[in-house]
Amino acid sequence: MDVRPYDADRDADALWECKRGFELGLGEGTGDEEKQDRYAAKLTDDYREEYLAWVDRCVADDGRCLTVADDGDDLAGYVFVLPERLAMIWDAAVLNEIYVRPDHRGTGVADDLMDAALELAGDQDLPIDRIVLDVDRENERAKAFYRRYDFEHWGEMVAKKLDP
């Protein structure tokens, strides 16, 4: 498995497929049918273009912020740590997303990606030395993974739906 920085020229389509898996997994694994529908509905062609353009801007800031696991045929997963210039969002490094395709889970890929994320976060100049992420309280598999890395509960995110 080659764990390396994202390369837009060769990885964009495979990254998008992983991103779809990430989003659809959030919807189906941690909520009801309404939540599943909300996550699936946003995965439009326009969203794809916007997401990949945002990825390109982040990678232009820091080429290490998006790390992929390449099995030689496809991407097995990715981890996305926001660039240092966005650290003021939480006064910390932000682990935005980590995803491993189901057929690669349990193989150590997630550990390799987490190691890359923690190394990058450790190199960032942060107001408070920590890395944060949002985990759905119903995602027991993810919570168990983060506990292995000594992540602990810190605050609670709340949200309000915005009226269109």
Side-chain angles (χ1 to χ4, degrees), residues 90 130-140 142-158:
W90 290 104
R130 66 176 169 221
I131 185 168
V132 298
L133 68 141
D134 178 26
V135 180
D136 193 302
R137 70 179 65 132
E138 296 178 32
N139 191 336
E140 294 301 326
K143 290 190 321 188
F145 175 73
Y146 298 124
R147 275 194 299 272
R148 283 192 10 238
Y149 282 89
D150 297 323
F151 281 78
E152 54 192 28
H153 183 77
W154 181 74
E156 183 169 344
M157 184 175 283
V158 296

Side-chain angles (χ1 to χ4, degrees), residues 62-76:
D62 185 339
R64 294 173 40 201
C65 74
L66 183 54
T67 299
V68 298
D70 185 342
D71 71 3
D73 294 320
D74 206 354
L75 296 187

Side-chain angles (χ1 to χ4, degrees), residues 82-94 121 124-128 130 132:
L82 295 184
E84 181 181 309
R85 75 174 175 85
L86 300 174
M88 296 298 180
I89 293 170
W90 290 104
D91 286 335
V94 178
Q124 291 183 345
D125 184 19
L126 305 168
I128 300 174
R130 66 176 169 221
V132 298

Side-chain angles (χ1 to χ4, degrees), residues 12-20 43-44 47-48 51-52:
D13 290 337
L15 175 66
W16 175 246
E17 288 307 309
C18 285
K19 171 66 171 171
R20 284 183 50 78
L43 297 172
T44 65
Y47 182 86
R48 178 188 191 277
Y51 175 77
L52 291 174

